[in-house]
Amino acid sequence: MTDDDLARALRALDPARTPADAPVPLAAERRLREILERPPREIAARRRRVLPGLAAAAVAVVALVVGTIVWWPAPTATALTPEPLKYAAVDDDVSALLTAAQDRLAHNPGRDDAVRRSLTLGWFVSATVGEPDATVFRREWVDVSWNTDLSGSVVTTVAESTDAAGDTVPADDPAPGTVVGDASFIRGQFRPLSIDPPSATIDAMRELVATAVGPQTPLPSGDAIIGVQTLLGEWTFSDAQESALLDVVREAADVRVLGRTTDRVGRAAIGLGGIPTSTPNTDATLLVSLDSGRILGVETSLRAADDTLGLPAGSVTSYTLWDVEDRPDAPPAPAAP
């Protein structure tokens, strides 16, 4: 079967709602790759309605894309990345800061249930290897929504963007509100880390984080942060579940307190840092709300210069923000199936 034959077969089974030759948005490609390349776990035995041929074909398509294009091409623009967040020192250690966050989660009115949806607002680097001048950042809404039958969608919408200097992005970029990616999953195709809402316990959350990043004892702080990011990329958790996630972060090795800051949309937060073992040139930061105690975001930055992308040490390479559903510019929730 040729690549064209495979593409036609996939379209016949699950027709795309965007043009076949439309570029895949970086954020959507990242989430698709994470979801479709995830190896089956023991929970796969319960998925009686999975279509093995289609799932394998979808993985093959992702592998073909990833094998030929490392980064999605972007319009020519100055290589500007968001300014790093600024932190004010605090006296408390990790345990005291997370205990305070958990106290806010327990006593403030908040979310009581988990939802099979993850709406994020973030910047994602888009670059062409060997062409540093084409490196840009795009601010996008990424809406991952899925159902109990493991169908779902990943919809990417252009958000209002500025560059590092606060200026608007080039005029030829899509207008805010433009849907630039709309990928659907048929029944049985989605691969969440947990089909059912996980128990609000440290043991349950530790198991899921370990599934996301690999079992390690003790769990490195950077891996704990990336595990949290992966879980929140699939679920919107209750306050009790988020509290259990903070327990997992607390027991991770070498968590650094960065201090108090204000996130990209003006919310007061505490920053905690760690270095993921899979990307040792990356520093990952977890942002926890000083108001609600909920996890607000994850940022990544370079520890050393990346000459291939033309980015110096300290460059922010992504940020992902949660709890943004109530913003006036947020996309509406998908219609119920």
Side-chain angles (χ1 to χ4, degrees), residues 11 16 32 43 46 72 84 103 119 136 139-140 142 145 159 170 174 180 201 239 244 253 311 336:
R11 285 196 294 273
L32 283 170
I43 59 175
R46 290 183 281 165
W72 294 104
D103 184 66
L119 177 65
V136 297
R139 200 179 195 208
E140 298 169 338
V142 181
S145 180
V180 292
T201 66
D239 288 351
L311 297 175

Side-chain angles (χ1 to χ4, degrees), residues 192-280:
L193 288 169
S194 175
I195 294 177
D196 301 314
S199 172
T201 66
I202 185 173
D203 290 339
M205 290 300 181
R206 186 192 298 116
E207 179 183 355
L208 287 177
V209 170
T211 301
V213 300
Q216 301 174 72
T217 304
L219 184 68
S221 55
D223 291 11
I225 292 170
I226 297 303
V228 167
Q229 181 178 28
T230 302
L231 278 171
L232 295 183
E234 298 175 357
W235 287 92
T236 298
F237 281 146
S238 69
D239 288 351
Q241 290 166 318
E242 290 228 350
S243 182
L245 266 183
L246 294 181
D247 278 330
V248 176
V249 175
R250 175 191 281 109
E251 69 176 13
D254 302 324
V255 182
R256 305 191 322 272
V257 176
L258 302 180
R260 179 173 181 147
T261 190
T262 301
D263 78 358
R264 306 288 173 178
V265 292
R267 301 175 295 186
I270 284 292
L272 304 174
I275 300 170
T277 56
S278 60
T279 53

Side-chain angles (χ1 to χ4, degrees), residues 275-296:
I275 300 170
T277 56
S278 60
T279 53
N281 191 36
T282 298
D283 216 336
T285 299
L286 185 74
L287 298 172
V288 180
S289 173
L290 282 168
D291 295 319
S292 68
R294 289 181 65 83
I295 297 168
L296 297 181

Side-chain angles (χ1 to χ4, degrees), residues 41-48:
R41 303 171 55 232
E42 65 274 8
I43 59 175
R46 290 183 281 165
R47 301 177 199 157
R48 303 302 181 190

Side-chain angles (χ1 to χ4, degrees), residues 19-156:
D21 59 351
V24 180
L26 179 74
E29 185 273 336
R30 176 177 57 86
R31 290 300 296 135
L32 283 170
R33 185 170 59 186
E34 290 174 357
I35 293 165
L36 294 178
E37 288 186 335
R38 181 173 296 152
R41 303 171 55 232
E42 65 274 8
I43 59 175
R46 290 183 281 165
R47 301 177 199 157
R48 303 302 181 190
R49 292 171 291 185
V50 171
L51 303 180
L54 180 59
V59 173
V61 170
V62 173
L64 285 171
V65 172
V66 173
T68 55
I69 304 175
V70 179
W71 300 92
W72 294 104
T76 300
T78 303
L80 289 173
T81 68
E83 295 286 356
L85 295 177
K86 295 178 173 59
Y87 294 92
V90 295
D91 295 330
D92 292 330
D93 61 12
V94 170
S95 181
L97 291 169
L98 293 183
T99 297
Q102 290 171 317
D103 184 66
R104 289 189 287 271
L105 285 167
H107 294 96
N108 290 345
R111 182 177 292 277
D112 296 326
D113 58 346
V115 179
R116 290 181 176 86
R117 183 195 185 202
S118 171
L119 177 65
T120 60
L121 173 62
W123 280 84
F124 305 97
V125 67
S126 178
T128 303
V129 172
E131 297 182 26
D133 288 343
T135 301
V136 297
F137 268 75
R138 297 190 179 281
R139 200 179 195 208
E140 298 169 338
W141 294 96
V142 181
D143 197 347
V144 178
S145 180
W146 55 288
N147 308 304
T148 54
D149 67 355
L150 302 182
S151 62
S153 63
V154 179
V155 179
T156 305

